[in-house]
Amino acid sequence: MSDLRDTAPYDALLLLSFGGPEGPDDVVPFLANVTRGRGIPEERLKEVGQHYFLFGGVSPINAQNRALLDALREDFAGHGLDLPVYWGNRNWAPYLTDTLREMTADGHRRIAVLATSAYASYSGCRQYRENLAESLAALEAEGLDVPRVDKLRHYFNHPGFVEPMVDGVLASLAELPEEARAGAHLAFTTHSIPTSAADASGPVEAHGEGGAYVAEHLDVARLIVEAVREATGTDHPWQLVYQSRSGAPHIPWLEPDICDHLETLHGEGVPAVVMAPIGFVSDHMEVLYDLDTEATAKAAELGLPVRRSATVGDDPRFAAAVRDLLLERAAHERGREVKPCALGSLGPSHDLCPVGCCPARAPKPAAAGADSPYA
């Protein structure tokens, strides 16, 4: 078909991410941005920042986003897509508002947005939509012609996201001692969030115990387990576990924690574990510290062989998946019938977040959804 490479109505793509410090002097200001409005004193921020100081005050996330930008631009150019790609962050430079101001000055009026979060949740989806609304409101207050932004759908079950993780698990299994490999347990990890936020994740019909957040992760884990079984002939036991809890101890968060899980597995006589961070797009600080440092140290203390499989990062298959998501959404916006690409039992996610999807504790305007003030 003649329009297979047609990105219209979109005239730009925005990579929207979390951001991270790029030196010791950035750490406390960055954490102040992350925790703004919570009244956390500077001394506490310095304590929390020790994870960053262990790595020279540099989070790898910005470098990884630059690598993903390069991969996207290379993929787009190689497939005849003449579409500029920009990058903006929630909590550190380049800040989202500055990037949208630049895009507006460059004449862009219809922007597709890819968030570096694959799953439904408040912090992984709606909060980014709130950030977009805040930035658009700032541009509007400056008298600028506010562009329309459309967030691309969740991609947790897109082959270009799942297949690189399958390869990562297979590579990690191959690195384990041969005598432990067949009995290795697969621990699929993601960011712990409050159980109340998980229960309310996704569209209203998905709300309930764990909500869409847990259901989506479980579906991805099953896909990987099935692919590993097909490749190796071994049916590895597995579980979805959590990491990076940061909330008050009296508030229930998703469990079990990866370190507690490693202790349990060791007590059960499991010979080895592959930790697969399926909840993360790239090897940013929570992967580097919570898995590569803390959980790996716990495993060494137990005498339990572990490997940590790779995240998707700038894998060319993921860049191709972004292109696919973009062209799919563009075709839908032009009124074309296109079958979305999705693996597993849940099917493709919605294009437009419905009212009541991943609600906030305190209602705030959110762009790129059915309740957007900037339709």
Side-chain angles (χ1 to χ4, degrees):
M1 289 182 291
S2 60
D3 63 348
L4 281 178
R5 297 177 182 177
D6 189 357
T7 61
Y10 299 112
D11 53 28
L13 175 72
L14 169 62
L15 178 67
L16 176 56
S17 194
F18 193 82
E22 300 201 71
D25 293 340
D26 295 345
V27 172
V28 171
F30 163 73
L31 292 173
N33 287 342
V34 174
T35 61
R36 184 180 290 111
R38 301 183 202 173
I40 298 177
E42 184 174 328
E43 287 307 309
R44 175 58 182 152
L45 295 179
K46 289 179 180 177
E47 291 177 22
V48 174
Q50 291 307 311
H51 295 180
Y52 292 95
F53 293 129
L54 287 173
F55 297 89
V58 179
S59 168
I61 192 171
N62 281 354
Q64 289 163 1
N65 279 327
R66 293 186 185 101
L68 178 55
L69 284 170
D70 289 343
L72 291 172
R73 289 165 178 154
E74 181 177 350
D75 178 271
F76 285 10
H79 290 83
L81 271 64
D82 183 18
L83 194 79
V85 184
Y86 294 74
W87 168 37
N89 288 325
R90 173 188 291 174
N91 295 302
W92 202 248
Y95 288 103
L96 173 59
T97 302
D98 295 337
T99 300
L100 282 173
R101 187 183 294 111
E102 177 188 359
M103 297 177 81
T104 300
D106 289 346
H108 299 299
R109 294 294 175 265
R110 192 76 185 270
I111 299 167
V113 179
L114 177 83
T116 55
S117 176
Y119 301 85
S121 71
Y122 171 73
S123 58
C125 183
R126 186 177 176 89
Q127 192 171 9
Y128 280 116
R129 294 176 49 225
E130 291 176 355
N131 298 146
L132 286 165
E134 290 170 3
S135 294
L136 293 174
L139 299 188
E140 190 173 48
E142 296 171 11
L144 298 177
D145 186 7
V146 175
R148 174 171 167 176
V149 297
D150 290 336
K151 181 177 176 292
L152 299 179
R153 66 177 174 89
H154 301 305
Y155 46 85
F156 63 93
N157 56 3
H158 194 287
F161 185 67
V162 175
E163 290 170 2
M165 293 191 291
V166 171
D167 288 350
V169 171
L170 290 171
S172 292
L173 284 168
E175 292 172 1
L176 288 171
E178 187 174 356
E179 66 275 11
R181 195 174 302 152
H185 177 100
L186 308 182
F188 296 104
T189 78
T190 191
H191 205 301
S192 183
I193 62 175
T195 56
S196 58
D199 295 346
S201 59
V204 173
E205 60 269 20
H207 293 179
E209 187 174 357
Y213 185 75
V214 172
E216 290 170 0
H217 281 87
L218 287 173
D219 210 40
V220 171
R222 292 187 192 102
L223 286 167
I224 295 173
V225 169
E226 289 167 6
V228 168
R229 182 191 304 118
E230 184 175 341
T232 66
T234 302
D235 194 4
H236 290 274
W238 63 276
Q239 186 170 337
L240 177 64
V241 299
Y242 303 93
Q243 61 174 90
S244 313
R245 173 182 172 141
S246 59
H250 67 281
I251 298 175
W253 282 52
L254 293 173
E255 296 178 334
D257 176 77
I258 177 60
C259 289
D260 295 337
H261 186 57
L262 292 176
E263 286 192 351
T264 299
L265 294 178
H266 178 256
E268 294 173 350
V270 169
V273 178
V274 169
M275 301 182 293
I278 62 172
F280 304 90
V281 171
S282 63
D283 290 3
H284 55 66
M285 183 56 69
E286 287 166 319
V287 175
L288 238 60
Y289 182 80
D290 296 330
L291 294 183
D292 293 355
T293 305
E294 192 174 48
T296 300
K298 170 58 71 175
E301 174 191 319
L302 296 168
L304 178 64
V306 296
R307 295 294 185 274
R308 194 269 292 173
S309 66
T311 52
V312 172
D314 60 344
D315 189 290
R317 289 169 292 184
F318 182 48
V322 175
R323 169 170 43 86
D324 184 59
L325 292 166
L326 171 68
L327 293 175
E328 169 200 302
R329 180 64 182 272
H332 287 170
E333 293 296 315
R334 297 195 306 271
R336 288 288 306 274
E337 289 291 331
V338 178
K339 184 178 180 181
C341 190
L343 302 174
S345 63
L346 298 180
S349 183
H350 45 262
D351 275 344
L352 196 67
C353 291
V355 175
C357 194
C358 302
R361 291 180 294 275
K364 294 175 67 176
D371 53 355
S372 172
Y374 297 101

